[in-house]
Amino acid sequence: MKKTQAYGLVNLLPLLIGALAFFLIIGPRVLDPQNIAWLGDGDPATHYLGWLFFRHSPWSFPIGLNPAYGLELSNSIIFSDSNPLFAFLFKPFSSILPETFQYFGLWLLTCFLLQAWFAWQLVGLVTPNIAIRALGAALFVVVPPMIMRMTVHLSLGGHFLVLAALYLNLHPALPRRRLAWGMLLAAAALVHAYILAMIAVIWLADLAAKCFKRSLTIGMAIVELGVLFCVVTLCCWQAGYFTVERAGIISGGFGLFRANILTLVNPQNWSHALKNLPAALGDSDGFAFLGLGLMMLAICAFAGWLRGSTGLGAALRKRPLLGLALFGLALFSFSNHIAIGSFELVYPLPPEVISIANIFRASGRMFWPVYYAVIFAIVFLVIRANTPGVAIALLGTALLIQVVDTHGGWSDARKKFMAKPSSEWATPFVDPFWKNAASHYQKVRWIVPQNLSLHWISVSAYAGLHHLSTDAVYLGRMSTEQWRLSDAKASLALASGKYDPDSLYLMDQRAMLRAVGNVDTSSDLFARIDGFTVLAPGWKQCGSCPQLANEQTPINAVPSLEPGQTVSFNLGDSGAAYMAKGWADPEQWGTWSEGSEAQMVFRASASVRSIRLGVSAFLASGHAQQKVTILINGIEASTYTLEKADGNVLDIPVTSLMHQRAAEQGFSRMQLLLADAI
């Protein structure tokens, strides 16, 4: 009985280490389930909002569907990175949970506890010494990449899943091996796709190794492969992975968001003693700094390895497939844009390969298993090359140096996590109109629909507070086809002035300029409220809908043009306020037109007699000229043929008839028709 109790107490030690690290680094405030102050921006905001909408949505099949968060753009809880594993656990209790409730603080605590637990198990494969295991586990917990990732992508703080995979692979005689791998793969699938991919590679290496060593027959290996593949597929299906078609899953960025060759030794502001090394754009996703403590321990480990008799070489030779898997993950993490400091070497890959690789565009994250394998190798060598007393001294010293030296990095993170608690976010929606509108409409739509739209956090929070659906969201991936259909539907509404009666519409500047002149103001409310352009279908014919005392019409927000005025369309300049339809985002030099028509909307002084437009033409081989026909208020002003790329100046006459039509509708609309656009 005493031995059993002692064993139980010893196994509580890693959990104590994890809890101590959590309270030291993160702090206790995130554990308050009603505190959402620390979740109010960037990716953590969409993590929380995805859960907020999911908890109030009806049960569906697959379980992870989340149509209220995104409407037609929406897909599932996995693509808001809201941690389906915890979302599925808490959704059944949604009705008894407080209105404001978050489980992400509990998730971070779980990450620290299990990071220490599996590190304890890993070091236990090398030594039974309790002090060495405890110090080794602590070193795995105070690692910069895990802590840094927790400030940005909460689900990706689950590095313990990677440690668990390494432990299962390295264990010499794991009982119930298939069950352990199945549970780990299922959990990873319900946490994040990147972590699932890493663990799947390590599992496949283990399966192949067992087959080659004949501890598993070919038949048994095929059965395991099939069964666990089905388990993972089922979990992915229920989490909602398959709600987005392949075109939507494939993003861009492979080759940019990769790991730098120097990532292990480049502190990137996570060291007091070491200066940052030169780096390349996009290195942050592959951030894997060891820390000064582990780097100094690595020197000791190398010295011990030179003395021989550590057994590392024999251990590596026994696991060539794991080594091959880690090499493959490292190679993928470096991508085909290999960066060594600020120097980059690029080698070409077929477009088909790049397309597939872009499914995991932030390839630098795939370095994490290699990172933890390196730490394990360092600890392994220190233990095997030294007496227990010396190993304890080295590990303890390294841990102290690690904590002190990286404190500057995680202290900044702690400030965010320890922000003043609050159960609500600040909102720009203060006019009484918004509360009244929430009881009249079922949906809040942002026009034009897009991922990561302007003010998406405030709009989604407003919709979520009032249990409305919205397409003002931020999703990791979305359906490209559904977005095209939504965009076409929005364009038709802007052109026709006919909007869904169950939806409240909020418009950005470009949408407002497109809508001006087409709204039925006798029926629909079209106004500026709290800085937002609002279109409320049928509001003026609703007997129970309070009318605005001082209605501010959006036409007053249409920018003006005065004689002698110059407008620049460079990034950050005033030209963006004039652009309605058919424009890309402004760049440093100007703004591209998109498609065969582009529009500008403005209010011109009656004394304006011409508009001079400076343009560049997109000319190419076989396309030596570009024709532009310009209309103002539906009246053709002039047609130009551009035969030089730059320095084109178009003098566009503004006639009295054009001014007359502008006076009738309150503004002018200039159309640039590009019949031969390429």
Side-chain angles (χ1 to χ4, degrees):
M1 181 65 71
K2 289 183 179 179
K3 288 183 178 180
T4 302
Q5 291 175 343
Y7 180 78
L9 290 174
V10 166
N11 279 279
L12 288 177
L13 184 56
L15 300 180
L16 179 62
I17 292 169
L20 181 63
F22 169 82
F23 286 108
L24 178 68
I25 296 170
I26 304 297
R29 288 183 176 177
V30 300
L31 293 177
D32 178 358
Q34 293 188 275
N35 175 23
I36 60 172
W38 61 287
L39 297 167
D41 56 44
D43 289 271
T46 197
H47 302 341
Y48 170 71
L49 289 168
W51 153 247
L52 174 63
F53 284 84
F54 180 70
R55 65 174 290 193
H56 294 301
S57 297
W59 284 100
S60 62
F61 193 83
I63 300 171
L65 297 183
N66 196 17
Y69 188 65
L71 293 172
E72 293 81 12
L73 302 181
S74 178
N75 26 69
S76 60
I77 191 74
I78 191 67
F79 290 115
S80 59
D81 283 348
S82 302
N83 199 318
L85 181 63
F86 273 45
F88 291 174
L89 288 175
F90 285 100
K91 184 179 173 71
F93 307 102
S94 181
S95 61
I96 62 174
L97 295 174
E99 181 62 28
T100 300
F101 178 85
Q102 58 85 14
Y103 48 70
F104 298 99
L106 180 61
W107 162 252
L108 294 184
L109 175 60
T110 301
C111 290
F112 272 90
L113 294 177
L114 295 183
Q115 181 84 354
W117 172 262
F118 283 109
W120 169 270
Q121 301 300 330
L122 264 176
V123 181
L125 296 177
V126 186
T127 178
N129 187 291
I130 294 174
I132 292 177
R133 293 179 72 181
L135 291 169
L139 279 168
F140 276 93
V141 172
V142 289
V143 285
M146 181 185 77
I147 302 167
M148 187 275 281
R149 190 54 54 182
M150 287 177 173
T151 65
V152 185
H153 303 108
L154 304 178
S155 293
L156 285 174
H159 286 207
F160 69 89
L161 295 163
V162 177
L163 289 186
L166 290 173
Y167 171 70
L168 296 186
N169 188 292
L170 293 171
H171 198 290
L174 186 68
R176 299 183 179 179
R177 178 183 159 279
R178 286 179 182 170
L179 177 62
W181 273 116
M183 292 175 63
L184 180 60
L185 287 164
L190 295 177
V191 171
H192 204 283
Y194 277 85
I195 295 178
L196 172 61
M198 299 174 207
I199 291 173
V201 170
I202 298 172
W203 162 60
L204 290 173
D206 182 55
L207 182 62
K210 294 289 190 294
C211 196
F212 279 119
K213 293 178 181 178
R214 298 186 179 180
S215 56
L216 282 179
T217 65
I218 296 292
M220 293 170 65
I222 291 173
V223 169
E224 179 177 331
L225 183 66
V227 170
L228 296 195
F229 177 80
C230 290
V231 168
V232 170
T233 302
L234 176 64
C235 291
C236 290
W237 174 35
Q238 291 305 308
Y241 283 83
F242 307 135
T243 57
V244 174
E245 76 281 358
R246 185 175 182 271
I249 289 291
I250 296 173
S251 185
F254 179 75
L256 175 62
F257 307 114
R258 42 88 177 98
N260 198 296
I261 295 291
L262 303 182
T263 187
L264 290 172
V265 294
N266 189 356
Q268 294 192 36
N269 301 317
W270 274 76
S271 173
H272 282 299
L274 302 177
K275 293 183 178 180
N276 293 342
L277 299 177
L281 182 66
D283 281 355
S284 59
D285 264 290
F287 173 67
F289 177 53
L290 283 171
L292 183 59
L294 279 167
M295 290 171 65
M296 295 180 69
L297 193 65
I299 296 172
C300 299
F302 181 70
W305 177 67
L306 291 178
R307 294 200 301 267
S309 303
T310 60
L312 179 63
L316 293 175
R317 287 191 293 273
K318 288 181 180 179
R319 296 171 179 84
L321 292 178
L322 175 60
L324 183 62
L326 294 175
F327 177 77
L329 287 169
L331 196 63
F332 184 78
S333 73
F334 297 142
S335 81
N336 64 322
H337 288 241
I338 299 175
I340 307 173
S342 57
F343 173 77
E344 290 190 75
L345 173 66
V346 181
Y347 62 90
L349 288 174
E352 296 79 9
V353 174
I354 295 293
S355 178
I356 295 172
N358 267 320
I359 296 174
F360 297 100
R361 62 173 188 164
S363 65
R365 301 170 186 173
M366 296 299 180
F367 192 76
W368 295 341
V370 183
Y371 176 79
Y372 287 112
V374 168
I375 296 176
F376 181 66
I378 292 171
V379 173
F380 179 97
L381 286 170
V382 168
I383 294 171
R384 291 294 179 87
N386 299 281
T387 64
V390 173
I392 290 171
L394 290 174
L395 291 169
T397 303
L399 177 61
L400 178 62
I401 294 172
Q402 183 85 351
V403 171
V404 172
D405 189 61
T406 60
H407 175 267
W410 53 260
S411 62
D412 289 338
R414 183 181 171 87
K415 291 176 184 177
K416 174 183 177 180
F417 293 126
M418 289 294 286
K420 183 180 178 181
S422 176
S423 60
E424 58 185 16
W425 296 336
T427 177
F429 299 103
V430 296
D431 192 281
F433 164 81
W434 301 107
K435 186 175 181 180
N436 294 319
S439 62
H440 185 72
Y441 297 100
Q442 289 80 52
K443 303 169 185 175
V444 182
R445 293 184 179 274
W446 183 269
I447 292 186
V448 290
Q450 58 192 284
N451 199 14
L452 198 60
S453 55
L454 191 65
H455 305 300
W456 68 271
I457 294 178
S458 297
V459 177
S460 285
Y462 161 73
L465 177 65
H466 295 285
H467 298 183
L468 308 177
S469 302
T470 185
D471 61 1
V473 295
Y474 174 28
L475 299 168
R477 298 288 190 275
M478 70 175 187
S479 170
T480 304
E481 183 59 30
Q482 287 299 320
W483 171 77
R484 290 196 183 102
L485 293 174
S486 297
D487 184 68
K489 182 180 178 181
S491 296
L492 180 61
L494 291 170
S496 65
K498 296 179 180 179
Y499 299 86
D500 293 342
D502 66 346
S503 300
L504 177 69
Y505 292 85
L506 305 181
M507 298 183 179
D508 61 17
Q509 175 73 8
R510 293 191 182 187
M512 183 273 290
L513 294 179
R514 292 168 65 181
V516 164
N518 298 324
V519 178
D520 182 2
T521 53
S522 64
S523 172
D524 302 340
L525 174 67
F526 191 42
R528 293 282 293 176
I529 306 174
D530 289 334
F532 290 89
T533 299
V534 179
L535 192 143
W539 187 265
K540 292 184 177 179
Q541 294 181 342
C542 169
S544 60
C545 300
Q547 302 305 309
L548 299 186
N550 299 307
E551 183 176 332
Q552 298 179 355
T553 59
I555 199 168
N556 294 325
V558 174
S560 61
L561 281 179
E562 300 294 335
Q565 180 180 352
T566 299
V567 177
S568 172
F569 296 89
N570 299 341
L571 180 65
D573 290 328
S574 60
Y578 297 82
M579 295 178 175
K581 176 184 178 182
W583 300 102
D585 292 330
E587 299 181 45
Q588 294 292 342
W589 57 269
T591 306
W592 285 107
S593 62
E594 287 188 331
S596 58
E597 180 182 356
Q599 296 182 8
M600 296 184 193
V601 176
F602 50 85
R603 289 180 294 164
S605 168
S607 59
V608 170
R609 291 291 174 260
S610 68
I611 296 174
R612 176 170 291 180
L613 200 61
V615 301
S616 298
F618 182 62
L619 306 178
S621 177
H623 192 84
Q625 63 183 23
Q626 191 170 25
K627 293 182 180 179
V628 184
T629 299
I630 298 178
L631 284 70
I632 297 180
N633 296 327
I635 302 170
E636 184 172 334
S638 51
T639 297
Y640 304 90
T641 300
L642 308 180
E643 296 181 333
K644 58 180 182 177
D646 299 304
N648 301 289
V649 178
L650 314 183
D651 279 308
I652 306 161
V654 182
T655 65
S656 57
L657 181 57
M658 294 174 184
H659 276 298
Q660 180 181 337
R661 290 193 179 179
E664 293 170 356
Q665 60 188 19
F667 62 91
S668 293
R669 186 181 302 275
M670 181 166 67
Q671 297 168 274
L672 285 72
L673 305 181
L674 304 143
D676 57 353
I678 61 167

